[in-house]
């Protein structure tokens, strides 16, 4: 290496000439740092280099053969160097002498932009499907140098700087390049270690009003464990997985998610299904080892996780997300979450994730007023603020927000190969007047209350998810009579695969909460759902919402003494599993949890020491087994040809009887529910066939904690006309029970 050479001393006039830039750099407000910092060819034979490095004592230009010292501009932290074209080598590095250390770094301002113009165009157009691959933090190689490119959308910011562990959270060290037409800011940092713990970062944003904000990355693939709020650079291993479809194929997905498949979903809050001996969360790996086998043993076909996109407040249960692209770090890393997904699929269990595109919280590090303006949320509170949840509502009419949400939905399939998304609070998105009084909302352009932007977004999300990932399932939690939720978009529908049947849930729980003495006056609450059961592709939900906020557990909704409560619950489950529609049951309900759900503690697993709770759990296993093996119970869930009432009008005895058929109509199941404590020794029902009918489920069986009133295994149909059939059977109908019978093969 040659002797160190220097440029002439910089004069005070030079400092005065660049006083504006120096002031802006000191304040972290320089709006175009790449036009000033780094190397610039100023004549055909001359380069000027500048570096702004707070705290540095000396800065040196260093290439393979030379080291040359930058000159400090006055007393500032700006250092400059002039080189001839012959002296300049684009592969130079900076050697920086601090008071107690010397480091060698790449100059981030020498690298050209690598942002894809086509992707930027599509992002601004609202049609970019994988925005997370272009924005956020990504390992990449530029000019044979490996590092991380940081990119953020903040069009109304005066300036944006990258802050993190790697620059001591100093907002003056790494001001970013702005792409004026796109409103996107970018910088490439080469000197970052590949670490699980040390690469935390945020964006320091100066607003048009001069306010400084520190924001987490909206596109971050991982974030710090709350209450910490920074984003995390993914490790190279996780970054690679993030960029590619998962290696493990899930060929069974189309089969397990199909309309004509048995779908029985176990809804789980990962933070309170079980806790360890110190009341700490189970990790994704521990859930793989404990939850997956448990669900498999009980015969559920799917797990639905309540929201796991990173969220700051445990009490929101995940429904107020900040990091929509980041699986929460509460339970482990990205790789740990992928391990959990793989464990589900290896057990042939589908995995659904609760997705929340309806609103987001006002936390300072989150999306709210991201660049000092209403960027992600609608500016008018009548459209952009949710009065019930005190949260912000996305501006669905903004193209970039559409790209953000479409990309986020697709990312869960692209990156982790989950089976489906359950979209939260769809009704709150569809209606402009949702939970608002007159004068608190703005009609759409046609004078209606439909949120046209949200409707189009939901259609786009469903179209693109199904197109890119055939065999998945998109599920709407939609609580109104909005038409065509599960109809194809080209037929005017929203394009979901399934819709929660909130009407069935409300009516049936209202009925079951009645004293059996008065149920005859509420008979229609159990039959009305069949008037619309085939208008959508329904899932019957008994979710977390039914066992919180003073509503009591399912068991304690049931009337009567303790024995009757359990009998009612078992009869209700039997009715539900036979009713048209896929099934969803919240954790703890499968063994009759007595207390309301508490997100701060484990389920009451000790209850399984008691026979009554063991019986409910055994019944759920038996119902899932019968449901999955009796094609008549699931093949025609969305077709009226799969259902016939035997007797829908026996209100006096509160007995319901009906038939379920398979697609070929060569199999059927007879279902009889007795919703009073009265026993019927010879209850006659009409049936389609002669021959033997085998009892395949009896919720009153002693195995399930029942009375064992009827222990007969089969009944013979005889030529006695009854209820429109030419043959019938007489059965012993137990108290508060549901019985399934099927012709013996």
């Amino acid at each position: 290496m040659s002797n160190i050479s220097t440029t002439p001393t910089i004069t005070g006039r030079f400092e005065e000439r660049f006083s504006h830039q120096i002031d802006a750099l000191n304040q972290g407000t320089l709006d175009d740092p790449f036009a000033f910092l780094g190397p610039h060819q100023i004549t055909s034979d001359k380069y000027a280099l500048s570096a702004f490095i707070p705290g540095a004592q000396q800065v040196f230009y260093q290439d393979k053969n030379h080291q040359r010292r930058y000159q400090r501009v006055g007393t500032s932290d700006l250092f400059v160097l002039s080189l001839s074209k012959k002296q300049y080598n684009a592969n130079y590095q900076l050697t920086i002498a601090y008071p107690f250390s010397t480091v060698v770094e790449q100059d981030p301002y020498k690298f050209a932009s690598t942002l894809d113009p086509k992707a930027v165009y599509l992002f601004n157009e609202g049609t970019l499907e994988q925005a997370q691959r272009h924005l956020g933090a990504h390992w990449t190689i530029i000019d044979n140098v490996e590092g991380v490119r940081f990119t953020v959308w903040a069009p109304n910011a005066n300036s944006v700087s990258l802050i993190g562990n790697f620059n001591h959270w100093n907002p003056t060290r790494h001001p970013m390049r702005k792409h004026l037409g796109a409103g996107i800011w970018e910088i490439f940092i080469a000197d970052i270690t590949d670490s699980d713990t040390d690469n935390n970062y945020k964006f320091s944003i100066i607003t048009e009003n001069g306010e400084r904000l520190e924001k987490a990355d909206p596109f971050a693939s991982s974030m710090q464990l709350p209450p910490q709020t920074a984003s995390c650079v993914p490790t190279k291993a996780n970054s690679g997985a993030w960029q590619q479809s998962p290696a493990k194929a899930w060929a069974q997905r189309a089969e397990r998610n199909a309309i004509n498949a048995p779908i029985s979903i176990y809804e789980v809050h990962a933070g309170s299904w079980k806790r360890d001996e110190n009341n700490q969360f189970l990790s994704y790996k521990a859930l793989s080892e404990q939850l997956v086998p448990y669900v498999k043993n009980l015969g559920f076909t799917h797990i639905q996780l309540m929201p796991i996109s990173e969220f700051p407040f445990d009490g929101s249960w995940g429904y107020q997300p900040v990091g929509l692209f980041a699986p929460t770090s509460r339970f482990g890393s990205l790789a740990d979450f992928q391990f959990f997904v793989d464990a589900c699929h290896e057990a042939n269990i589908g995995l659904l994730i609760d997705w929340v595109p309806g609103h987001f919280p006002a936390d300072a590090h989150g999306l709210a007023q991201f660049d000092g303006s209403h960027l992600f949320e609608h500016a008018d509170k009548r459209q952009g603020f949710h009065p019930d949840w005190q949260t912000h509502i996305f501006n669905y009419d903004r193209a970039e927000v559409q790209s953000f949400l479409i990309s986020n939905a697709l990312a869960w399939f692209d990156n982790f190969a989950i089976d489906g998304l359950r979209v939260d609070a769809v009704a709150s998105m569809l209606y402009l007047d949702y939970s608002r009084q007159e004068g608190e909302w703005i009609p759409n352009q046609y004078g209606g209350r439909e949120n046209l932007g949200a409707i189009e977004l939901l259609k786009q999300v469903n179209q693109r998810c199904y197109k890119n990932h055939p065999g998945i399932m998109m599920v709407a939690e939609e609580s109104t009579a909005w038409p065509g939720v599960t109809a194809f978009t080209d037929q005017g529908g929203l394009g979901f695969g399934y819709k929660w049947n909130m009407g069935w849930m409300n009516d049936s729980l209202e009925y079951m909460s009645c004293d059996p003495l008065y149920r005859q006056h509420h008979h229609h609450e159990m039959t009305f759902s069949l008037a619309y059961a085939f208008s959508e592709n329904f899932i019957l939900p008994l979710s977390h919402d039914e066992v919180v906020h003073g509503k009591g557990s399912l068991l304690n909704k049931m009337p009567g003494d303790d024995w009757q409560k359990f009998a009612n619950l078992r009869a209700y489950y039997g009715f539900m599993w036979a009713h048209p529609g896929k099934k969803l049951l919240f954790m703890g309900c499968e063994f009759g949890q007595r207390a309301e759900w508490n997100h701060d503690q484990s389920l009451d697993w000790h209850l399984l020491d008691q026979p009554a709770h063991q019986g409910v759990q055994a019944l759920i296993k038996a119902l899932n087994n019968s449901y999955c093996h009796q094609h008549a119970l699931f093949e025609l869930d969305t077709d009226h040809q799969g259902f016939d009432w035997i007797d829908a009008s026996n209100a006096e005895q509160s007995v319901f009887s009906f038939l379920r058929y398979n697609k070929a109509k060569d199999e059927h199941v007879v279902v009889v529910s007795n919703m009073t404590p009265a026993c019927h020794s010879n209850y006659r029902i009409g049936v389609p066939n002669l021959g033997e009918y085998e009892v395949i489920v009896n919720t009153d069986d002693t195995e399930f904690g029942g009375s064992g009133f009827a222990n007969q295994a089969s009944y013979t149909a005889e030529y006695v006309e009854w209820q429109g059939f030419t043959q019938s059977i007489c059965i012993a109908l137990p108290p508060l029970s549901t019985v399934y019978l099927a012709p013996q093969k």
Side-chain angles (χ1 to χ4, degrees):
M1 182 175 290
S2 68
N3 293 331
I4 295 174
S5 62
T6 65
T7 58
T9 302
I10 302 299
T11 65
R13 184 178 300 172
F14 193 88
E15 183 177 7
E16 181 179 344
R17 178 183 173 190
F18 292 106
S19 62
H20 169 74
Q21 288 89 340
I22 293 171
D23 288 344
L25 286 166
N26 279 325
Q27 297 169 34
T29 60
L30 189 63
D31 59 352
D32 192 6
F34 280 80
F36 183 69
L37 299 176
H40 295 276
Q41 188 171 1
I42 56 176
T43 69
S44 61
D45 192 48
K46 189 175 182 180
Y47 280 82
L49 293 83
S50 58
F52 186 80
I53 306 177
Q57 290 182 322
Q58 295 185 71
V59 178
F60 298 91
Y61 164 99
Q62 185 170 316
D63 61 23
K64 185 176 181 181
N65 299 311
H66 301 88
Q67 188 179 68
R68 294 182 169 87
R69 183 164 62 88
Y70 282 70
Q71 292 296 297
R72 185 188 295 271
V73 177
T75 59
S76 73
D77 289 317
L78 178 66
F79 297 83
V80 297
L81 177 64
S82 179
L83 296 176
S84 69
K85 185 175 182 180
K86 185 176 181 180
Q87 291 172 319
Y88 176 71
N89 183 339
N91 295 322
Y92 75 91
Q93 293 179 292
L94 299 177
T95 298
I96 305 169
Y98 293 103
F100 301 104
S101 65
T102 298
V103 298
V104 178
E105 296 181 355
Q106 295 286 345
D107 183 353
Y109 298 96
K110 73 175 184 177
F111 295 102
S113 172
T114 59
L115 205 56
D116 183 347
K118 182 179 179 181
V120 171
Y121 174 83
L122 294 175
F123 177 72
N124 292 140
E125 186 186 57
T127 59
L128 185 60
E129 291 188 344
Q130 295 176 325
Q132 77 281 3
R133 298 190 179 185
H134 302 276
L135 290 98
H138 298 281
W139 289 93
T140 189
I141 296 175
I142 303 177
D143 297 336
N144 297 316
V145 176
E146 185 177 46
V148 179
R149 189 189 70 189
F150 297 87
T151 316
V152 64
W153 177 57
N156 300 310
N158 275 354
S159 66
V160 180
S161 296
L162 178 69
I163 56 176
N165 301 66
F166 39 82
N167 64 13
H168 306 287
W169 301 93
N170 186 341
T172 68
R173 180 66 179 92
H174 289 127
M176 301 173 72
R177 169 196 284 118
K178 184 177 184 180
H179 295 263
L180 291 173
I184 292 174
W185 302 74
E186 174 198 21
I187 196 168
F188 174 75
I189 306 295
D191 303 289
I192 292 182
T193 57
D194 186 18
S195 168
D196 279 324
T197 57
D198 295 334
N199 289 339
N200 305 320
Y201 70 98
K202 286 185 178 180
F203 298 110
S204 177
I205 297 173
I206 302 297
T207 71
E208 289 181 332
N209 297 326
E211 181 184 3
R212 183 181 297 280
L213 307 174
E214 291 188 356
K215 293 290 189 176
D217 184 354
F219 289 91
S221 58
S222 62
M223 295 183 68
Q224 284 183 305
L225 181 67
Q228 300 179 92
T229 57
S231 305
C232 304
V233 177
T235 62
K236 291 178 187 177
N238 284 333
S239 181
W242 189 252
Q243 295 293 336
Q244 302 172 10
S245 296
K248 291 196 173 184
W250 38 306
Q252 297 163 308
R253 68 179 180 181
E255 182 180 341
R256 63 177 171 247
N257 299 329
I259 291 292
N260 61 351
I263 294 177
S264 180
I265 304 166
Y266 186 65
E267 186 191 19
V268 174
H269 179 258
S272 60
W273 179 71
K274 276 186 182 178
R275 298 276 183 105
D276 67 16
E277 59 274 10
N278 299 314
N279 199 36
Q280 299 300 304
F281 299 136
L282 296 185
S283 67
Y284 289 122
K285 287 193 173 182
L287 289 168
S288 303
E289 295 164 356
Q290 298 181 45
L291 173 63
V292 172
Y294 178 79
V295 169
K296 185 71 173 178
N297 180 57
L298 288 185
F300 288 98
T301 62
H302 291 69
I303 293 171
Q304 179 179 305
L305 290 182
M306 291 169 66
I308 59 164
S309 294
E310 194 61 81
F311 55 98
F313 177 47
D314 284 350
S316 77
W317 313 332
Y319 288 101
Q320 295 190 11
V322 165
L324 269 77
F325 288 85
T328 178
S329 56
R330 286 167 174 81
F331 315 118
S333 68
L334 286 173
D336 294 335
F337 176 66
Q338 185 65 66
F339 183 90
F340 174 74
V341 178
D342 289 343
C344 291
H345 291 164
E346 285 169 5
N348 196 21
I349 292 173
L351 180 63
L352 311 179
I353 300 294
D354 227 330
W355 188 52
V356 188
H359 63 129
F360 57 89
D363 294 71
H365 67 289
L367 299 179
Q369 291 194 305
F370 187 80
D371 62 357
S373 68
H374 297 285
L375 193 61
F376 287 91
E377 70 272 26
H378 203 288
D380 193 314
K381 289 189 69 172
R382 291 171 295 178
Q383 291 179 263
F385 193 75
H386 200 293
D388 289 348
W389 303 319
Q390 299 293 293
T391 51
H392 295 281
I393 299 171
F394 285 103
N395 183 354
Y396 303 110
D397 296 310
R398 185 159 195 163
E400 295 89 349
V401 172
Q402 295 164 14
S403 287
F404 176 77
L405 291 172
I406 290 168
S407 296
N408 183 240
L410 283 164
W412 291 98
F413 300 109
D414 290 340
N415 304 325
F416 301 113
I418 66 166
D419 286 63
L421 295 174
R422 176 267 192 186
V423 184
D424 178 61
V426 170
S428 75
M429 299 172 64
L430 295 176
Y431 297 98
L432 292 167
D433 63 344
Y434 183 88
S435 197
R436 298 178 190 273
Q437 302 300 317
E438 187 175 350
E440 296 178 348
W441 60 282
I442 304 173
N444 63 34
Q445 65 193 74
Y446 304 109
R449 63 191 187 114
E450 299 82 11
N451 189 330
L452 303 179
I455 293 166
E456 182 59 28
L457 172 81
L458 290 170
K459 289 181 178 180
Q460 287 296 319
V461 165
N462 288 325
Q463 282 178 343
R464 293 168 185 268
C465 286
Y466 276 113
K467 179 181 178 181
N468 291 324
H469 299 278
I472 62 166
M473 55 190 292
M474 300 292 290
V475 181
E477 185 215 11
E478 204 287 306
S479 54
T480 73
W482 185 278
V485 172
T486 58
F488 293 119
T489 56
D490 59 5
Q491 298 173 358
L494 294 180
F496 284 95
Y498 296 94
K499 172 183 172 175
W500 277 19
N501 193 335
M502 309 294 279
W504 171 87
M505 178 272 297
N506 285 314
D507 288 348
S508 62
L509 282 177
E510 182 72 21
Y511 177 89
M512 294 304 301
S513 67
C514 291
D515 187 298
L517 184 64
Y518 304 108
R519 284 178 176 167
Q520 60 182 311
H521 306 299
H522 298 267
H523 198 73
H524 67 283
E525 291 175 354
M526 293 291 267
T527 60
F528 178 64
S529 59
L530 272 303
Y532 61 86
F534 311 108
S535 61
E536 301 275 8
N537 305 331
F538 281 121
I539 292 174
L540 310 181
L542 293 175
S543 74
H544 64 277
D545 278 331
E546 315 322 316
V547 294
V548 289
H549 300 319
K551 296 178 184 176
S553 67
L554 290 186
L555 181 66
N556 282 329
K557 294 181 194 296
M558 303 296 126
D561 58 24
D562 210 48
W563 190 92
Q564 289 188 4
K565 285 180 182 294
F566 278 98
N568 271 299
L569 186 63
R570 293 192 306 268
Y572 181 41
Y573 285 160
F575 181 86
M576 171 184 176
W577 255 254
H579 189 287
K582 312 308 180 186
K583 326 302 173 188
L584 180 141
L585 190 66
F586 184 56
M587 64 182 197
C589 299
E590 79 279 10
F591 59 79
Q593 171 105 356
R594 290 182 180 272
E596 274 193 354
W597 168 54
N598 182 348
H599 72 272
D600 283 327
Q601 66 184 43
S602 170
L603 296 177
D604 294 332
W605 293 101
H606 63 275
L607 293 175
L608 284 169
D609 294 335
Q610 302 173 23
H613 295 278
Q614 293 172 9
V616 175
Q617 188 186 57
L619 173 65
I620 293 297
K621 183 174 182 178
L623 288 172
N624 277 330
N625 181 64
S626 293
Y627 172 61
C628 290
H629 288 90
Q630 295 288 334
H631 287 225
L633 292 176
F634 62 79
E635 278 192 348
L636 293 176
D637 269 333
T638 63
D639 191 326
H640 67 90
Q641 295 189 56
F643 179 92
D644 268 332
W645 282 111
I646 296 174
D647 187 357
S649 58
N650 189 355
E652 183 179 353
Q653 293 178 300
S654 297
V655 175
F656 307 88
S657 53
F658 56 88
L659 290 161
R660 295 297 309 277
Y661 295 98
N662 70 337
K663 187 174 182 179
K665 284 297 188 82
D666 57 359
E667 295 179 12
H668 65 270
V669 173
V670 176
V671 181
V672 188
S673 291
N674 175 18
M675 294 303 185
T676 73
C679 302
H680 303 282
S681 298
N682 292 287
Y683 190 87
R684 184 171 292 277
I685 52 174
V687 293
N689 292 358
L690 284 172
E692 293 292 308
Y693 275 80
E694 178 185 5
V695 176
I696 55 175
V697 173
N698 176 1
T699 67
D700 187 57
D701 196 297
T702 55
E703 176 189 357
F704 309 134
S707 69
F709 168 76
N711 57 8
Q712 192 166 332
S714 64
Y715 297 91
T716 303
E718 52 188 344
Y719 279 116
V720 176
E721 291 189 10
W722 202 258
Q723 296 167 329
F725 294 89
T726 56
Q727 55 276 323
S728 57
I729 54 176
C730 253
I731 66 171
L733 188 57
L736 295 172
S737 66
T738 296
V739 178
Y740 299 176
L741 304 102
Q744 287 187 355
K745 295 182 180 179

